[in-house]
Amino acid sequence: MPSEEALALAGSRDGLVIAPAGCGKTYLLAEAVSCSKGRQLVLTHTHAGVRAIRGHLKRRGVPTEKYGLTTIDGFALRYASSYPALSGWTTLIPKSDDWKQLRLAANSVLQRKAVRQVLLASYSGVFVDEYQDCSIGQHRLLLSLAEIMPLRVVGDPLQAIFSFLGQSDFLPWHEVETHFTEVAELTTPHRWSDRNEQLGEWLLHVRRRLIEGEDIDLQQAPIKWHRATTQIEQVRLNACLGVKAKKGETQIGLRKWRHECHRLARSLKGRYRAMETVECDDLLDWSQQIESSIGVDRAIQVLAFAELCIAGIPLAVRQFGKRIAQGAQVKPRRTDYQRVLHAIGVVRDVPSLNCVLGLMDALTELDHELVVARDELWREMKRVIREHGINSGISLRQTAWTMRNRLRQFGGSADPSALGTPLLVKGLEFDHAVVLDTADHAEAESLYVAMTRGSRTLTVVSESPVLVRSKPRFVLHKVGSTSYRLDTQIERKDDF
């Protein structure tokens, strides 16, 4: 039997549920979809969110014909690309600067009566996850959907971390409250039930203190605390390696920037692996570089790509390509080096991109202590090359884009022991979480997201056992704010 909150959300036309971290938001969405009439469109922001929602829907036994699930931008791309004459959208592979224009293009398509009829024939209503992460452009797009059918949303203003990426496109939370009617607020920390209930209750206490701008004392908390010393990098390594994860349990280490995760993954020698974004710009860029090069230059590009992903490749091997390009005689004695050299020769002499796979395999088979710190990037490149061999009518870069774009609809999977940023792990749950430096999380929102990822244990690294943060943005904006409506025809240039 669905909960009262799920029934209230499903039965509303403009319902809003406030959902603190770990309080059953994704489960509530699955419940609401299951008890809704007709087929529902379910939208979220990240491929991690897609995967989480799909898992809950599957476990609840909701048939796939009862819903469509994708990211908001994936939905926008689909409709803008499907009606290019109406949208004016012709970009096959959007880059970071294109997404604002894409949302505007998709919104123009949704204004057409014929397109609205198509949507009504496909769906009876819409659910949107993580609404606090919407940009103004996404919000306007969703308001257009609300004109067609019921639009119900869940969110938590204390988890609004995407807003710090695009200040000019930031959607104030009071605007969400203007357009939607709150039907419930979740209050039970389900994530920690039967795992670490004391931690769950403490994190609800932390939430209240962050909203009020009060200090957080870690000394009596049900967590493990490490003091950040002058040997901070070693402290971080010890914090990660000190997690007592049982077989089958997951763990996440959190830093602010992805390049910090990449560096730490190398130092941890494969115990943790760095997560990649769904766009994975490095995959797109290196796909283009490898395909556009020929002969020994292609081999040099593959060796450089390997150096990016793998720690421990010997300098002599990394220089094979350049030495061959310079006309030097390369005659290694070691058998594993000879295999790499042979694979380089094949890449040089045979134009097929499939030969790159042989060189990649030879590199990972080196008899050295190698650390594939960026395992996802390495594996994805191999998958892209294989896929391109089957469908070579498009470029390698476009193949990479197509494969990563599938994650927007079907989701991906995180490594059991991963390093990521709050933006990458948003919506994900792990057994153990390690906040590797609270200085990374200067805003209350980022700190809250980081601290609520682990369901069994939380480890925190900080200079002081007392954390001081300003009130979150949605509280500061609410004080003395004047609400302005965004569903007008007036559009400010800096919004897009």
Side-chain angles (χ1 to χ4, degrees):
M1 179 68 182
S3 64
E4 292 182 6
E5 294 88 349
L7 290 169
L9 186 63
S12 67
R13 183 169 182 87
D14 60 353
L16 162 65
V17 171
I18 307 296
C23 287
K25 168 182 62 64
T26 311
Y27 185 85
L28 171 81
L29 271 176
E31 279 190 306
V33 171
S34 69
C35 64
S36 295
K37 295 180 180 179
R39 189 166 186 257
Q40 302 296 310
L41 174 61
V42 185
L43 300 174
T44 187
H45 289 269
T46 66
H47 71 284
V50 169
R51 183 179 70 254
I53 296 170
R54 189 180 300 279
H56 276 279
L57 289 166
K58 185 176 181 179
R59 285 191 290 273
R60 191 167 178 81
V62 182
T64 54
E65 59 267 21
K66 192 172 175 57
Y67 64 89
L69 172 62
T70 186
T71 64
I72 298 170
D73 285 341
F75 170 82
L77 181 60
R78 176 185 173 187
Y79 274 81
S81 300
S82 297
Y83 302 94
L86 298 178
S87 66
W89 186 260
T90 58
T91 303
L92 294 177
I93 305 177
K95 297 180 180 178
S96 56
D97 295 336
D98 295 327
W99 292 103
K100 287 185 181 181
Q101 291 298 326
L102 169 65
R103 295 158 195 157
L104 184 60
N107 201 9
S108 67
V109 171
L110 296 189
Q111 306 310 311
R112 300 302 181 108
K113 184 177 179 180
V115 176
R116 293 190 172 199
Q117 289 174 340
V118 170
L119 279 164
L120 281 172
S122 303
Y123 304 104
S124 300
V126 184
F127 289 97
V128 184
D129 187 25
E130 306 279 17
Y131 207 87
Q132 75 281 346
D133 290 329
C134 284
S135 66
I136 291 175
Q138 290 172 327
H139 179 56
R140 285 190 172 128
L141 177 67
L142 294 167
L143 289 180
S144 293
L145 281 174
E147 295 173 359
I148 308 170
M149 63 188 73
L151 178 72
R152 299 84 98 201
V153 307
V154 295
D156 176 15
L158 193 54
Q159 297 183 68
I161 57 175
F162 280 86
S163 64
F164 294 98
L165 291 179
Q167 300 289 336
S168 65
D169 206 22
F170 163 61
L171 176 67
W173 182 253
H174 62 77
E175 275 300 319
V176 180
E177 296 173 321
T178 297
H179 288 279
F180 298 96
T181 303
E182 184 177 332
V183 297
E185 180 172 354
L186 307 182
T187 58
T188 303
H190 294 289
R191 176 172 295 167
W192 297 271
S193 296
D194 301 324
R195 295 179 177 183
N196 192 337
E197 295 180 2
Q198 186 183 8
L199 177 59
E201 292 296 334
W202 180 76
L203 287 168
L204 281 182
H205 169 71
V206 167
R207 175 186 176 82
R208 290 189 289 268
R209 296 190 70 85
L210 287 172
I211 291 174
E212 295 299 323
E214 298 174 349
D215 299 349
I216 309 299
D217 190 348
L218 304 178
Q219 295 179 94
Q220 302 302 319
I223 68 168
K224 187 172 184 178
W225 176 63
H226 292 260
R227 185 184 294 278
T229 66
T230 54
Q231 303 297 320
I232 181 63
E233 199 63 21
Q234 187 60 49
V235 174
R236 292 180 185 130
L237 292 174
N238 292 341
C240 288
L241 297 174
V243 173
K244 305 300 182 183
K246 297 179 181 179
K247 185 177 181 180
E249 292 181 347
T250 57
Q251 45 199 349
I252 182 69
L254 291 152
R255 292 293 328 257
K256 183 175 183 178
W257 304 110
R258 283 189 290 128
H259 70 84
E260 295 168 334
C261 297
H262 300 158
R263 184 174 64 249
L264 188 59
R266 289 173 175 263
S267 299
L268 285 165
K269 300 186 182 303
R271 289 284 298 273
Y272 288 70
R273 287 172 171 169
M275 297 175 65
E276 305 290 342
T277 65
V278 64
E279 290 82 7
C280 202
D281 290 337
D282 283 341
L283 178 65
L284 300 181
D285 293 342
W286 280 98
S287 295
Q288 182 172 329
Q289 289 174 224
I290 290 173
E291 184 176 32
S292 61
S293 56
I294 59 173
V296 71
D297 287 339
R298 177 173 288 175
I300 291 172
Q301 292 295 331
V302 176
L303 290 167
F305 177 71
E307 189 175 357
L308 176 71
C309 298
I310 304 173
I313 298 177
L315 177 62
V317 173
R318 284 183 272 138
Q319 292 180 338
F320 276 175
K322 292 180 180 179
R323 292 184 62 194
I324 292 172
Q326 294 167 355
Q329 292 292 318
V330 182
K331 295 182 179 181
R333 295 182 178 180
R334 292 179 51 144
T335 303
D336 54 343
Y337 286 23
Q338 291 171 4
R339 287 196 295 267
V340 172
L341 187 62
H342 173 74
I344 290 173
V346 174
V347 170
R348 178 195 59 197
D349 298 334
V350 182
S352 173
L353 282 166
N354 285 333
C355 299
V356 170
L357 296 174
L359 177 52
M360 294 177 73
D361 288 339
L363 288 166
T364 54
E365 292 167 2
L366 284 166
D367 188 17
H368 283 268
E369 187 177 348
L370 304 179
V371 177
V372 188
R374 301 186 67 177
D375 183 63
E376 182 181 352
L377 178 58
W378 184 257
R379 286 185 289 107
E380 283 293 277
M381 180 62 79
K382 297 183 76 171
R383 289 181 64 233
V384 167
I385 294 172
R386 293 191 191 100
E387 180 74 15
H388 183 267
I390 299 171
N391 182 18
S392 58
I394 59 176
S395 70
L396 192 65
R397 179 186 174 91
Q398 190 170 347
T399 303
W401 160 259
T402 300
M403 294 183 67
R404 295 302 288 185
N405 194 46
R406 289 174 192 165
L407 293 177
R408 299 184 188 280
Q409 184 171 0
F410 299 108
S413 59
D415 195 278
S417 298
L419 293 168
T421 67
L423 290 172
L424 287 176
V425 302
K426 191 76 163 27
L428 286 178
E429 173 186 331
F430 297 81
D431 291 296
H432 309 275
V434 185
V435 180
L436 290 161
D437 194 340
T438 57
D440 285 346
H441 313 289
E443 301 85 12
E445 292 90 336
S446 179
L447 181 64
Y448 178 66
V449 169
M451 293 179 73
T452 53
R453 295 307 96 196
S455 62
R456 297 184 185 276
T457 68
L458 171 63
T459 302
V460 177
V461 177
S462 64
E463 287 188 1
S464 168
V466 179
L467 307 181
V468 182
R469 295 294 183 275
S470 299
K471 290 182 179 181
R473 180 184 287 189
F474 81 96
V475 174
L476 297 175
H477 278 221
K478 182 178 293 187
V479 178
S481 66
T482 301
S483 180
Y484 55 92
R485 296 198 60 89
L486 296 173
D487 54 347
T488 66
Q489 297 301 311
I490 301 174
E491 297 174 352
R492 296 179 301 172
K493 183 178 180 180
D494 63 343
D495 287 344
F496 298 95

